């Protein structure tokens, strides 16, 4: 079959790889119907050292079950399923607590001999605990929005939940990428009173307004902090959702959060140290967030997608076939595309 591999910074290739097969009784093989490129994929795309052997890549996909191991129940050939970006057994103590990303039997796509999601098919470990069956066909117009439940919308939702977003809450979202826009939509869904989106790309912030942003702040750095403070009577917002992952974004988040408020970060950190000293301590600011346990949220969010109350799939603004994935990476890295949908 064909699948995507990364060989180094800027070096994405689509090549022939072995067809996946059931290896363990808890496995399933899923034919990929839709996949996509994630903003977090751009970090290795921009910095990975070159190697002679490529690594599989991609962690967002939905597809059709083609085969199952002997111990898999509740799934059968022909079922359309969505896979969260981390697989898990869904039976351990961490999974029971909704922290599937800490499952001792779990892991991530494209690592430790497990297929990446940007390919024609995937072997899914712990299939019964990982996959969620979808009550639509593989030709459904809802597929783009359903695909966001594999990662991007669940990540935006996780960011808002960890921050405590709810009715009468004011929110600042730092970043107008797909995760930031998902965080706007999630905050609106949770009833936020005011949502300030910090972003400077007009096409993206326009979608952010459609998703529920009440204000847009294009300024960055100290100017951006001052503008948010001005909009909020000098206080800042109760919650800040940091959806970028740079130290500068974290500094901005801490600059616009209200005293006693919460900063939630889901942008994959590209730093080891941050401004979390006495200034943050003296203001009673809470710092939270982390990698999103998408599997814990899928059933909660699924009805709103199926019934059309939300349309998170609007973050996709370009579609490519599998052979077009390298250009999809280039387009996202060049800010020519917000988020690229892949149709193998």
């Amino acid at each position: 079959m064909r699948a995507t591999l990364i060989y180094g910074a800027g070096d994405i290739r689509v090549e022939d790889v072995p067809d996946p097969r059931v290896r363990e009784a808890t496995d399933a093989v899923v034919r990929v119907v839709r996949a996509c490129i994630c903003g977090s994929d751009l970090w290795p795309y921009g910095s990975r050292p070159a190697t002679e052997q490529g690594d599989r890549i991609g962690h967002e996909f939905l597809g059709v079950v083609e085969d199952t191991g002997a111990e898999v129940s509740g799934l059968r050939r022909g079922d359309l399923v969505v896979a969260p970006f981390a697989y898990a057994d869904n039976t351990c103590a961490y999974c029971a607590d909704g922290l599937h990303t800490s499952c001792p039997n779990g892991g991530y796509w494209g690592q430790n001999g497990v297929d990446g999601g940007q390919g024609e098919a995937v072997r899914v470990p712990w299939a019964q605990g990982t996959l969620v069956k979808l009550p639509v066909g593989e030709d459904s117009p809802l597929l783009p929005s359903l695909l966001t439940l594999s990662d991007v919308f669940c990540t935006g939702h996780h960011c808002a939940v960890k921050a405590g977003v709810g009715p009468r809450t004011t929110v600042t979202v730092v970043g107008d990428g797909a995760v930031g826009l998902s965080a706007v939509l999630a905050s609106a869904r949770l009833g936020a009173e005011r949502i300030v989106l910090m972003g400077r790309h007009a096409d993206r912030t326009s979608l952010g307004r459609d998703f529920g942003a009440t204000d847009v702040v294009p300024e960055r750095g100290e100017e951006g902090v001052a503008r948010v403070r001005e909009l909020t009577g000098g206080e800042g917002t109760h919650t800040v959702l940091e959806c970028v992952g740079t130290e500068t974004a974290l500094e901005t988040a801490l600059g616009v959060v209200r005293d006693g408020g919460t900063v939630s970060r889901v942008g994959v950190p590209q730093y080891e140290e941050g401004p979390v000293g006495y200034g943050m301590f003296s203001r009673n600011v809470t710092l939270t967030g982390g990698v999103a346990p998408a599997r814990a949220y899928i059933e909660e969010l699924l009805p709103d997608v199926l019934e059309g109350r939300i349309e998170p799939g609007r973050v996709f603004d370009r579609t490519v076939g599998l052979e077009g994935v390298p250009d999809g990476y280039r387009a996202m890295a060049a800010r020519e595309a917000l988020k690229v949908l892949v149709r193998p």
Side-chain angles (χ1 to χ4, degrees):
M1 73 168 193
R2 303 286 282 172
T4 305
L5 294 91
I6 182 168
Y7 281 81
D11 190 359
I12 296 286
R13 309 179 198 179
V14 179
E15 299 181 339
D16 292 325
V17 299
D19 291 341
R21 59 180 179 82
V22 170
R23 297 181 185 176
E24 306 289 341
T26 51
D27 287 351
V29 172
V30 172
R31 172 174 54 85
V32 176
V33 173
R34 296 290 188 278
C36 57
I37 301 171
C38 183
S40 63
D41 292 330
L42 297 183
W43 294 118
Y45 181 72
S47 62
R48 183 187 185 277
T51 57
E52 292 187 6
Q53 298 294 323
D55 292 326
R56 297 288 294 278
I57 193 168
H59 54 261
E60 300 165 279
F61 66 94
L62 56 79
V64 175
V65 175
E66 295 290 318
D67 195 11
T68 60
E71 295 181 14
V72 176
S73 63
L75 296 170
R76 63 182 181 179
R77 182 181 175 87
D79 285 344
L80 183 72
V81 293
V82 61
F85 68 86
Y87 58 87
D89 60 27
N90 208 19
T91 60
C92 73
Y94 286 110
C95 289
D97 287 340
L99 198 61
H100 296 73
T101 48
S102 292
C103 176
N105 290 317
Y108 295 94
W109 310 110
Q111 299 180 13
N112 301 317
V114 177
D115 299 314
Q118 292 165 11
E120 291 183 322
V122 176
R123 178 180 70 87
V124 178
W126 300 104
Q128 185 174 325
T130 299
L131 300 173
V132 177
K133 185 177 176 179
L134 300 172
V136 298
E138 61 180 283
D139 58 348
S140 170
L142 294 175
L143 293 194
S145 287
L146 292 168
L147 177 59
T148 69
L149 300 181
S150 67
D151 183 350
V152 65
F153 185 58
C154 286
T155 294
H157 176 72
H158 178 65
C159 197
V161 168
K162 293 293 287 183
V165 173
R168 297 180 299 280
T169 304
T170 56
V171 182
T172 297
V173 175
V174 180
D176 60 3
V179 173
L181 295 176
S182 295
V184 169
L185 182 59
S187 297
R189 177 182 175 276
L190 293 170
E193 178 180 280
R194 188 175 193 179
I195 304 170
V196 180
L197 173 59
M198 300 190 75
R200 59 171 54 184
H201 302 89
D203 54 342
R204 299 181 180 192
T205 57
S206 176
L207 179 56
R209 286 191 181 277
D210 287 350
F211 277 176
T214 55
D215 305 271
V216 171
V217 172
E219 295 88 352
R220 293 183 177 180
E222 294 182 0
E223 291 183 359
V225 171
R227 180 60 178 148
V228 175
R229 291 275 174 177
E230 179 184 351
L231 288 171
T232 56
E235 291 188 350
T237 54
H238 298 105
T239 61
V240 182
L241 313 185
E242 193 277 283
C243 301
V244 180
T246 63
E247 186 174 353
T248 300
L250 178 60
E251 290 171 349
T252 297
L254 292 170
V256 300
V257 70
R258 185 178 184 270
D259 285 14
T262 300
V263 172
S264 179
R265 58 178 189 153
V266 292
V268 179
Q270 303 303 302
Y271 54 87
E272 294 297 330
E273 298 180 356
V276 293
Y278 181 78
M280 176 182 162
F281 173 80
S282 66
R283 297 171 57 212
N284 280 282
V285 171
T286 297
L287 180 62
T288 186
V291 60
R295 181 62 182 82
Y297 298 126
I298 292 176
E299 281 99 346
E300 174 188 350
L301 300 174
L302 181 58
D304 280 2
V305 173
L306 293 173
E307 294 168 23
R309 287 189 288 271
I310 56 175
E311 194 177 353
R314 292 180 64 190
V315 296
F316 296 111
D317 60 348
R318 183 173 298 197
T319 300
V320 299
L322 190 57
E323 301 299 327
V325 168
D327 189 60
Y329 273 83
R330 182 205 58 77
M332 284 182 61
R335 300 295 189 269
E336 295 173 8
L338 169 61
K339 190 167 179 67
V340 173
L341 182 72
V342 180
R343 298 184 63 168

